[in-house]
Amino acid sequence: MNSSEQMAIAVIADAHCHDMDSDYGLKSRALAGRSATLRSWHDSRRSSRVFNESKSALITALEDIRQRGIRHVILLGDYTDDGQAEANRRLRSLLLAYRQEHGMAFYAIPGNHDCYGPHGKHQSTRFVRTPAETVLVSSDPAIAATEADAVLTPAMYCQGTPEALETMADFALFPRDEHLHWETPFGARGEVEARQYTAWSADGQVQRQLIDASYLIEPVPGLWLLMIDANVFEPRNGQRDVTRKKAFHDSSDAGWNAVLRNRPHLLPWIKDVCQRAAAQDKQLLGFSHYPLMDPFDDHSDLEGRLFGQTDMRRRRPSADVASALLDAGLQLHFGGHLHVNGHRSLQREDRHLTDVAVPSSASFPAAYQVIHTGPDSLLLETVPLNDMPLNPDLLDYYRAECRATGMAPDRALSASRYGEFLHQRMSCRVVAHYLPKHWPTELAEAVQTSHAAELATFLLAQRHASRPLHYGTLTTVQSTAAQEALQRLCEQQGLALTELQDCRLLDLISDWYCLRQAGYQACSFFRIEHLQIYRFLIDRFADLGAAGRTTQADFLQVFLGGLGQFLARSIPGQPTTITLDYRQPRQRFSL
């Protein structure tokens, strides 16, 4: 690119936009007496994302982008709540308003939440009627028939392709006159009939014609955006009815691992695009919904050793993915899906590939990214959405729901800003999701009412015990020697024992998950005294070499080892500079 053509591009991932004004045939008056389509706090506290705040977060990001004078915006998949026809229509209207009123251009690529296979799938969700009551809303007549007051509506149906693509057609998924260049892996035609490929089941007995939404676009002279559709709907063995959800494997766990198996046409096209970009001196940026590399860089399989086969572990791309894209010549790729803030790099001989993990605007850490392009380098800036004010009426509703259903009020409901709300909500998700689903049962129950001093005492006591100890019996089987040893360690560290007693283990566990997702962005939400305690526990008790789930002490030592890894990587946020050289297949990466 010519130096006079420096520009900025915003990247928004996993917006999961749910509009509270959506029409699914049911609107409650629970939001300060006005009509609204609400998801419950019960659902929000355990989900991987927020629902009712998602549209406000997206608008906050778009307003910030507009005020910065940025005209080009990448939508990196999962831009809708769950691909519902109503969600697609609402999002389309919002984006068209920004395009028409502010001259912004959007470039979309679908994620696993935005469409399903060629024919779509039924969806069912519970919306609020009163603070104590929800109502089932479904597009499936059979599901709606299970409850007398259920609402049946086609607006809930998750669109398939091509319908979902055509709804978002104005956002570069199809060619437009203003595009300087536009193509697909199959040529210059944009019609869905010209963008089909054949997918086979693993046993080779079931064949489907599916649509690849990938495209290459040149929005300004010298800049190529390679938008790769990595949504793979792999046919299931023996499933002949293509209209059924079970006709395909879920794309959520598939990602790039399945792309290598099911879309052999993509890699030759990507390689050809990379070669043409180099020959024509184009600045090439690659995008897809899914990561190319494990954003957690989990070489020791910390996740598997602690929690077994989790969603996060299933969704990791294999090493073959990055190797294949490196061989194709791709140098820089942006992906979402896992709601993680970070980046990974792979270098082999004179080739270098960087994979940037873009955080979600609807979960912790809420942020979007800006790519500042130049003639020879790119500057990546992560822009937090932490200061977005919360809707006080929504908080009042959540509190009313807690009172009506007997839930204890969560600390998240005392927040006034979005970042703190999401940080505190992680504690809710730990209690409602992570502990019961992934942790050893007895330990999961015990840590909820425990503190850092008891954790340290337990691990000290285990060092001198002849048999494995159980954390749940800590309050009745105390070790005087361990308590005295802890007192001495605290004095050596300059810590008061009461500081450890005031540090809830739930806070430590919640911060562990926040650090894993957010890196340095999480640290600004931590209490300074807690960081000191975390480092004390890591220095004295962390052991990544322990056996994992063999004993409770092993589990906790590995868990603390993970906390140490996350903190070590959480250096203060500095802009990431990437220098690209298209005349030679090299890339230099620096922080």
Side-chain angles (χ1 to χ4, degrees):
M1 290 181 65
N2 188 285
S3 60
S4 64
E5 296 172 341
Q6 293 183 1
M7 61 180 290
I9 305 163
V11 185
I12 300 175
D14 300 276
H16 290 288
C17 187
H18 164 66
D19 190 334
M20 291 191 295
D21 291 324
S22 296
D23 186 2
Y24 291 106
L26 172 75
K27 289 190 179 182
S28 79
R29 296 281 176 178
L31 191 65
R34 77 172 180 86
S35 179
T37 301
L38 298 179
R39 295 291 298 272
S40 69
W41 176 241
H42 176 271
D43 286 349
S44 296
R45 69 196 297 269
R46 65 178 59 238
S47 174
S48 62
R49 64 190 194 273
V50 295
F51 302 104
N52 301 321
E53 296 78 13
S54 59
K55 182 182 177 183
S56 294
L58 176 57
I59 291 175
T60 297
L62 292 175
E63 280 298 297
D64 191 69
I65 291 165
R66 178 185 66 80
Q67 291 171 13
R68 289 167 175 253
I70 299 172
R71 291 187 54 251
H72 301 274
V73 183
I74 307 288
L75 297 176
L76 208 54
D78 282 5
Y79 34 75
T80 62
D81 174 37
D82 259 326
Q84 304 97 325
E86 173 72 355
N88 271 297
R89 287 193 293 267
R90 292 275 173 172
L91 177 66
R92 179 178 181 273
S93 295
L94 174 65
L95 299 179
L96 283 178
Y98 271 87
R99 189 176 80 180
Q100 293 163 3
E101 296 171 17
H102 307 298
M104 293 169 69
F106 296 93
Y107 312 92
I109 199 71
N112 55 295
H113 278 262
D114 300 317
C115 57
Y116 191 86
H119 298 287
K121 64 179 179 178
H122 283 298
Q123 293 272 63
S124 301
T125 299
R126 304 197 75 89
F127 290 117
V128 168
R129 174 173 284 168
T130 69
E133 182 186 16
T134 60
V135 177
L136 176 66
V137 180
S138 179
S139 61
D140 189 339
I143 297 296
T146 62
E147 297 187 16
D149 62 347
V151 175
L152 177 64
T153 172
M156 183 59 67
Y157 194 80
C158 174
Q159 295 180 321
T161 51
E163 188 178 13
L165 302 182
E166 290 170 342
T167 303
M168 300 288 285
D170 289 300
F171 313 118
L173 285 161
F174 294 85
R176 295 175 59 88
D177 290 342
E178 66 264 27
H179 300 156
L180 301 178
H181 179 79
W182 192 96
E183 67 175 78
T184 78
F186 311 103
R189 292 177 58 197
E191 301 92 337
V192 294
E193 295 80 8
R195 302 167 72 175
Q196 295 189 8
Y197 69 100
T198 302
W200 296 86
S201 60
D203 63 4
Q205 300 301 305
V206 180
Q207 173 186 332
R208 303 288 181 219
Q209 289 298 116
L210 301 177
I211 295 169
D212 190 325
S214 303
Y215 60 96
L216 171 69
I217 187 171
E218 184 171 11
V220 298
L223 176 66
W224 279 8
L225 307 179
L226 180 60
M227 309 294 288
I228 306 169
D229 178 11
N231 257 353
V232 174
F233 301 100
E234 184 174 0
R236 288 182 183 269
N237 295 341
Q239 294 291 331
R240 300 293 178 180
D241 186 353
V242 71
T243 65
R244 294 177 60 83
K245 177 181 176 181
K246 290 184 178 179
F248 300 95
H249 291 283
D250 188 359
S251 60
S252 301
D253 294 342
W256 275 94
N257 293 328
V259 170
L260 298 189
R261 296 195 309 271
N262 292 273
R263 295 196 184 179
H265 61 274
L266 269 181
L267 283 173
W269 177 62
I270 294 171
K271 183 175 183 178
D272 178 61
V273 168
C274 292
Q275 290 174 343
R276 283 186 282 141
Q280 299 176 38
D281 198 24
K282 306 290 186 181
Q283 193 169 61
L284 177 66
L285 309 179
F287 303 88
S288 75
H289 177 61
Y290 302 89
L292 298 182
M293 304 183 204
D294 174 14
F296 302 116
D297 197 17
D298 190 5
H299 294 298
S300 65
D301 192 22
L302 180 70
E303 182 96 3
R305 293 166 60 211
L306 286 172
F307 311 126
Q309 186 69 320
T310 64
D311 289 344
M312 283 293 188
R313 195 163 179 260
R314 279 194 298 272
R315 294 174 182 182
R316 287 180 189 164
S318 71
D320 292 341
V321 170
S323 180
L325 272 297
L326 186 74
D327 289 341
L330 191 64
Q331 297 184 45
L332 182 60
H333 173 268
F334 295 80
H337 189 50
L338 298 182
H339 302 188
V340 174
N341 177 53
H343 58 263
R344 289 282 314 285
S345 293
L346 174 67
Q347 184 162 4
R348 188 170 61 222
E349 297 175 351
D350 61 349
R351 292 183 181 269
H352 198 120
L353 170 64
T354 297
D355 188 40
V356 179
V358 183
S360 167
S361 59
S363 65
F364 188 85
Y368 72 94
Q369 288 189 332
V370 178
I371 308 168
H372 300 275
T373 71
D376 302 308
S377 65
L378 303 172
L379 181 69
L380 306 184
E381 177 187 3
T382 300
V383 183
L385 303 176
N386 297 332
D387 291 334
M388 182 185 87
L390 294 174
N391 184 333
D393 293 337
L394 264 177
L395 293 175
D396 285 344
Y397 161 71
Y398 293 147
R399 297 184 194 108
E401 181 186 327
C402 289
R403 291 192 298 269
T405 59
M407 280 192 297
D410 293 305
R411 287 192 291 179
L413 305 186
S414 298
S416 61
R417 299 285 172 174
Y418 190 45
E420 184 59 27
F421 173 77
L422 293 176
H423 175 240
Q424 294 293 352
R425 194 190 74 103
M426 186 64 84
S427 293
C428 307
R429 182 158 165 76
V430 164
V431 173
H433 177 80
Y434 288 122
L435 289 178
K437 191 170 183 179
H438 297 152
W439 281 54
T441 303
E442 183 182 319
L443 192 56
E445 295 171 355
V447 296
Q448 295 187 47
T449 55
S450 186
H451 51 69
E454 290 175 329
L455 170 63
T457 302
F458 172 75
L459 293 175
L460 286 168
Q462 182 64 80
R463 288 178 180 177
H464 304 288
S466 58
R467 56 181 176 79
L469 300 179
H470 294 278
Y471 201 92
T473 62
L474 184 65
T475 55
T476 56
V477 184
Q478 292 284 4
S479 168
T480 301
Q483 290 173 323
E484 292 174 349
L486 177 59
Q487 181 65 55
R488 290 193 297 271
L489 289 175
C490 286
E491 291 171 357
Q492 294 170 11
Q493 188 67 27
L495 280 172
L497 183 59
T498 54
E499 293 182 71
L500 272 71
Q501 293 168 341
D502 290 339
C503 178
R504 303 188 315 160
L505 274 197
L506 273 182
D507 289 337
L508 182 151
I509 295 167
S510 174
D511 287 346
W512 189 97
Y513 285 101
C514 286
L515 272 170
R516 183 182 67 162
Q517 294 294 117
Y520 73 86
Q521 285 193 336
C523 292
S524 62
F525 294 94
F526 298 172
R527 294 167 56 179
I528 297 299
E529 59 270 27
H530 281 187
L531 280 172
Q532 186 180 10
I533 291 168
Y534 297 167
R535 292 191 174 97
F536 168 78
L537 293 172
I538 291 163
D539 291 343
R540 299 303 189 279
F541 304 109
D543 184 3
L544 283 171
R549 295 177 74 104
T550 303
T551 69
Q552 291 183 359
D554 283 345
F555 180 94
L556 292 168
Q557 288 178 100
V558 173
F559 189 79
L560 289 173
L563 182 65
Q565 277 190 341
F566 303 154
L567 276 174
R569 295 174 188 164
S570 299
I571 58 176
Q574 298 291 332
T576 302
T577 303
I578 298 177
T579 305
L580 301 174
D581 185 348
Y582 294 103
R583 295 171 183 81
Q584 299 178 14
R586 297 184 59 189
Q587 179 188 53
R588 298 181 299 280
F589 182 86
S590 61
L591 287 176

